[in-house]
Amino acid sequence: MSEKCTSNCSTCDKSDCADRNDFLEPLNKDSSVNKVIGIVSGKGGVGKSLVTSLCAVAMRRLGANVAVLDADITGPSIPTGFGLHCQADVEDNTILPVRTDTGIKVMSINLLLASETSPVVWRGPVIAGAVKQFWTDVRWGDVDYMFVDMPPGTGDVPLTVFQSLPIDGIIVVSSPQDLVGMIVAKAVNMAEKMNIPVLGIVENMSYFKCPDCGKEHRIFGDSHVDQVAEEFGLKVLARLPIDPAVAKAYDAGMIETVGTEVLSDAVDVFKNL
């Protein structure tokens, strides 16, 4: 590691840091994780947790051993989508992930709190430390694909994940509004700074399909994702519609019953990593 390295990539002017591997945290000794995929966005409210959950469900349906690490410590919603309202068990000083109905392994701060409505009022370094512990202190077992649900933006936690976990690539989640360029640019630029591949873009809330006439309505206006994808040399992997049935299933903890055909291109990317 360079003697001048401050371990703070947000203030570093190096575009190609060869020291990234020096920051990687050791995986729990009783675990093996093949591929780690981050789900990110430059802003909140675009549906990262939904996309994370659907990606995990899609790969599980192919027979893969799948895990979800909920790195959104202050706004954890992954357990809700999978209907997990219990506490994780601890065995031999290691935390055991909670399994969903189909066998997806999940770890989230809400699975460790006495009450899932308890606020996490922690400062950045403590939150970042919790994310590291999800990697080092959780007995994940054998995992083919781990999806990491990131908090929005480019702050402490995304930086910690990029530095501490062996991320194989990220999916950028966006929405159709004009600010999609900013959303994607923030995430892509951070990933490039950390030498992490961007696997593609998933546009959420792309359109609403009328159940009566079948016509597609662009609730948030015309999509700009194709232009942005071309600008950054990325592929649009999916366009997810506004679907009240999907939202209802997520809120009811039944995301594993939702169809994932729209993510077929993303699945191909995961399989080819």
Side-chain angles (χ1 to χ4, degrees):
M1 183 186 300
S2 170
E3 294 180 357
K4 298 180 180 180
C5 180
T6 65
S7 301
N8 185 357
C9 294
S10 63
T11 61
C12 179
D13 60 0
K14 294 178 66 178
S15 60
D16 183 16
C17 180
D19 297 326
R20 177 176 172 247
N21 288 337
D22 292 333
F23 299 118
L24 292 179
E25 293 290 328
L27 178 64
N28 173 265
K29 63 182 181 64
D30 296 317
S31 304
S32 173
V33 178
N34 188 21
K35 298 297 179 184
V36 183
I37 301 158
I39 311 297
V40 308
S41 179
K43 69 178 294 293
V46 297
K48 291 183 307 300
S49 296
L50 173 64
V51 173
T52 302
S53 301
L54 290 176
C55 287
V57 170
M59 298 311 294
R60 181 59 184 158
R61 285 177 179 166
L62 294 179
N65 293 323
V66 179
V68 177
L69 190 159
D70 188 357
D72 195 350
I73 302 297
T74 59
S77 58
I78 289 294
T80 297
F82 289 101
L84 304 177
H85 303 287
C86 57
Q87 283 190 298
D89 292 326
V90 177
E91 184 178 278
D92 297 331
N93 294 320
T94 59
I95 306 168
L96 302 181
V98 177
R99 290 180 180 265
T100 70
D101 289 342
T102 65
I104 297 172
K105 301 173 184 177
V106 175
M107 180 46 57
S108 170
I109 195 66
N110 260 15
L111 301 176
L112 299 174
L113 299 175
S115 170
E116 60 185 23
T117 59
S118 298
V120 178
V121 189
W122 298 344
R123 295 193 182 275
V126 179
I127 295 174
V131 172
K132 290 181 183 180
Q133 285 185 283
F134 284 174
W135 178 255
T136 61
D137 296 355
V138 174
R139 192 189 306 170
W140 292 103
D142 292 329
V143 173
D144 298 315
Y145 298 94
M146 174 180 285
F147 294 94
V148 182
D149 184 22
M150 302 269 222
T154 54
D156 281 346
V157 173
L159 178 60
T160 295
V161 172
F162 283 176
Q163 283 187 321
S164 304
L165 275 61
I167 302 291
D168 293 285
I170 65 169
I171 297 292
V172 180
V173 182
S174 71
S175 56
Q177 294 100 319
D178 288 337
L179 50 72
V180 64
M182 179 196 71
I183 295 174
V184 175
K186 285 180 178 290
V188 170
N189 290 335
M190 184 176 187
E192 288 181 349
K193 192 176 185 65
M194 304 295 295
N195 294 323
I196 293 175
V198 181
L199 305 178
I201 305 174
V202 171
E203 183 180 69
N204 192 29
M205 301 178 285
S206 184
Y207 58 90
F208 171 74
K209 188 172 184 178
C210 177
D212 297 323
C213 67
K215 183 178 179 180
E216 294 182 358
H217 300 272
R218 309 290 170 177
I219 304 298
F220 295 106
D222 293 333
S223 173
H224 302 271
V225 71
D226 287 323
Q227 299 94 304
V228 174
E230 183 178 358
E231 177 184 350
F232 289 98
L234 302 175
K235 182 178 180 180
V236 179
L237 299 176
R239 292 175 171 85
L240 304 184
I242 299 172
D243 190 339
V246 173
K248 183 177 180 180
Y250 195 95
D251 290 342
M254 300 177 65
I255 194 62
E256 289 170 295
T257 66
V258 172
T260 57
E261 295 80 6
V262 70
L263 289 171
S264 59
D265 287 347
V267 167
D268 289 339
V269 169
F270 301 150
K271 289 162 60 178
N272 292 327
L273 275 176

